Amino acid sequence: MRIIHWLLGSLILLIDWLTTPRGIQRSEAVQATINEQTKAFTLYQYKACPFCVKVRRSMKRQSLPIETRDAKRCPHARQELLAGGGHLKVPCLKVVDPQGRERWMYESKEIIGFLEQSFPQAA
Ligand SMILES: N[C@@H](CCC(=O)N[C@@H](CS)C(=O)NCC(=O)O)C(=O)O
């Protein structure tokens, strides 16, 4: 069972690597603003989780340099996710607003929709 799990994970990572999307191009000034805004975001994830791959590909497509933390390999990240979000489930996007309030968003579909709405696709 473990070997099948490992093989599937490796296959997912290989396909992801072979078909990595290109990031959209923005003007330097707009991208610099977005880079600054994404500092308020952290993605808790597992490397080979298909839902996490989906979110990472969306980030890549949108050229969003969001920090990722591996909640499987890093006990500290796992603890942060459990304490902040309340569930050990990935992907989970932590968003900190300008007042310092945290929002922990689960569900890949919701995260991708939120990112698409939050950032301009061009300019
Ligand atoms: N519907 C969720 C599914 C997420 C999900 O099932 N994630 C798995 C990893 S692939 C998980 O976190 N399972 C709990 C665990 O591994 O502890 C989504 O689209 O984000």
Side-chain angles (χ1 to χ4, degrees):
M1 197 63 193
R2 249 179 121 87
I3 186 93
I4 293 175
H5 207 253
W6 180 83
L7 278 172
L8 267 178
S10 302
L11 186 64
I12 287 169
L13 290 176
L14 177 67
I15 293 171
D16 178 39
W17 181 70
L18 289 173
T19 64
T20 298
R22 287 178 57 162
I24 61 166
Q25 299 285 320
R26 302 184 178 93
S27 70
E28 231 173 88
V30 173
Q31 187 62 50
T33 306
I34 285 175
N35 294 351
E36 206 47 46
Q37 290 169 338
T38 54
K39 286 182 181 163
F41 297 178
T42 310
L43 182 75
Y44 290 80
Q45 47 116 39
Y46 296 165
K47 204 168 157 210
C49 154
F51 305 99
C52 302
V53 170
K54 216 167 74 172
V55 173
R56 292 202 305 267
R57 288 174 71 86
S58 171
M59 284 160 38
K60 171 83 183 162
R61 212 175 291 115
Q62 297 183 67
S63 303
L64 303 175
I66 293 171
E67 183 192 340
T68 59
R69 291 192 189 155
D70 192 324
K72 181 162 268 182
R73 288 160 194 231
C74 172
H76 185 65
R78 192 163 51 243
Q79 192 47 42
E80 281 177 350
L81 174 60
L82 250 180
H87 310 281
L88 189 56
K89 189 175 165 203
V90 291
C92 178
L93 184 71
K94 180 175 92 167
V95 182
V96 183
D97 75 14
Q99 284 72 43
R101 286 179 302 231
E102 292 178 358
R103 177 177 172 193
W104 295 76
M105 192 183 301
Y106 289 91
E107 289 302 317
S108 52
K109 222 171 166 179
E110 196 189 329
I111 295 169
I112 291 170
F114 172 79
L115 293 175
E116 284 173 357
Q117 281 190 348
S118 301
F119 297 99
Q121 298 299 303

